[in-house]
Amino acid sequence: MVKVLTIGEVLVEIVATTRGNGFLEAQPLVGPFPSGAPAIFIDQVGKMGTACAIVSRVGDDDFGQVNIRRLAADGVDVSGIEIAPGESTGSAFVRYREDGSRAFVYNIRHSACGKLRPTPASGALIDSCTHLHVMGSAFSAPELGAMVMDAAQRIKARGGTISFDPNLRPELLNAPGMREALDVVLAMTDLFMPSGEELFLFDPARDEAAVIASLLGRGIRTVVVKRGALGASLFQQGLRLDAAPLPVDEVDPTGAGDTFGGAFLSLWLAGAEPSQALDLANAAGARAVTRLGPMEGTSTRAELDALLAERKG
Ligand code: ADP
């Protein structure tokens, strides 16, 4: 049976309920909401009914439990989340500005997840999972990057598959060793899911068709480009599909890409038709932005089917 693994940060997000420039004045907050890109992604995989697990590390506090309980309830194997006595789970405070951009205050520098290292539980999951989802941001921390690379090589060597979401802020690209690591991961990748500009990370040519042809020529089976409020596109050898965005009221865009990715991967692994996988993932991304809180908009297959049916009218 296919089992999907991802490795990385779990934190909580606390969100301001009014728009403004930051946190200089007191204001109503909501949360804590479970968060962390790998956590949002794997929660969506779990909700699709696909066997999956996450390797992470939290403090022995309520913020860690908020995540563990949500992920477990949604079908994610949480045996690889280490609970560190006396340490704290990371948190982020977010406020949307009037223009829709986000102001953050992070408390993650000393979080439990920063000391994520291999454990017997993480080793057992790497040995039992058949697919690894890699997020490029993992390579901004040397120890986490090494764990992810080791897992990718072990799972690939056993005949497993790799999906890759660069998930990178541009300033992280120049971190030591980042470029080299991303190149190694890309060479192992079966399913590549960049967002917007990330498509051009490995190829300075600004011609999308040429970049896609080069990626498919390197042995990547499927490339899916996430285009935010413009929808998404899928490319395989000899195939291009475009999904128009579903019309929705955007409340909170955080997590849309991870939700899209989790839905798409589940369907791709199950051998769904490319057009069906793209449409359902596009619906998952659209549904994600309608909910406040990064993981609050993950969806079951039934919810995605209902959204598509409603939009087709
Ligand atoms: P990321 O969070 O990785 O930048 P995107 O913002 O591109 O990802 O969102 C992922 C997907 O979610 C998009 O490709 C699209 O399918 C869907 N999506 C995102 N924003 C909207 C929106 N405002 N309306 C409809 N669909 C959206």
Side-chain angles (χ1 to χ4, degrees), residues 7 10 58 64 147 164 169 189 218 233 262 269 273 287 295:
I7 303 175
V10 158
V58 296
M147 267 182 89
F164 178 26
R169 281 173 283 145
T189 295
R218 294 169 73 147
S233 304
L269 285 171
E273 283 298 319
R287 199 166 175 278
M295 200 191 281

Side-chain angles (χ1 to χ4, degrees), residues 67-195:
N67 274 287
I68 290 173
R69 289 181 189 193
R70 171 70 65 83
L71 291 169
D74 289 343
V76 180
D77 175 346
V78 293
S79 63
I81 303 183
E82 184 185 354
I83 301 174
E87 296 187 39
S88 302
T89 306
S91 57
F93 291 75
V94 187
R95 191 176 193 200
Y96 285 89
R97 301 191 184 94
E98 293 299 343
D99 66 2
S101 65
R102 288 169 279 187
F104 284 100
V105 173
Y106 284 112
N107 285 306
I108 51 176
R109 195 178 296 274
H110 302 292
S111 71
C113 205
K115 294 192 205 141
L116 180 59
R117 303 287 182 273
T119 63
S122 71
L125 285 171
I126 292 166
D127 287 340
S128 67
C129 287
T130 51
H131 180 93
L132 182 74
H133 181 67
V134 177
M135 294 198 166
S137 44
F139 298 102
S140 56
E143 296 86 357
L144 174 59
M147 267 182 89
V148 170
M149 193 62 86
D150 172 61
Q153 281 160 346
R154 282 160 64 181
I155 290 174
K156 194 75 184 176
R158 287 203 321 271
T161 45
I162 305 282
S163 50
F164 178 26
D165 180 346
N167 192 32
L168 273 179
R169 281 173 283 145
E171 62 271 25
L172 288 180
L173 256 189
N174 297 324
M178 174 65 84
R179 275 269 162 206
E180 296 74 8
L182 296 180
D183 279 337
V184 175
V185 173
L186 194 72
M188 291 189 275
T189 295
D190 301 282
L191 167 61
F192 184 46
M193 297 194 279
S195 178

Side-chain angles (χ1 to χ4, degrees), residues 4 13 15 22 35 43 47-49 64 77 83 99 122-123 142 157 163 185 202 212 221 226 238 263 270 273 302:
V4 177
E13 202 168 287
V15 185
S35 189
D43 189 72
K47 276 199 169 177
M48 297 294 286
D77 175 346
I83 301 174
D99 66 2
S122 71
S163 50
V185 173
F202 299 95
I212 297 285
R221 274 154 53 192
K226 294 170 278 171
E273 283 298 319

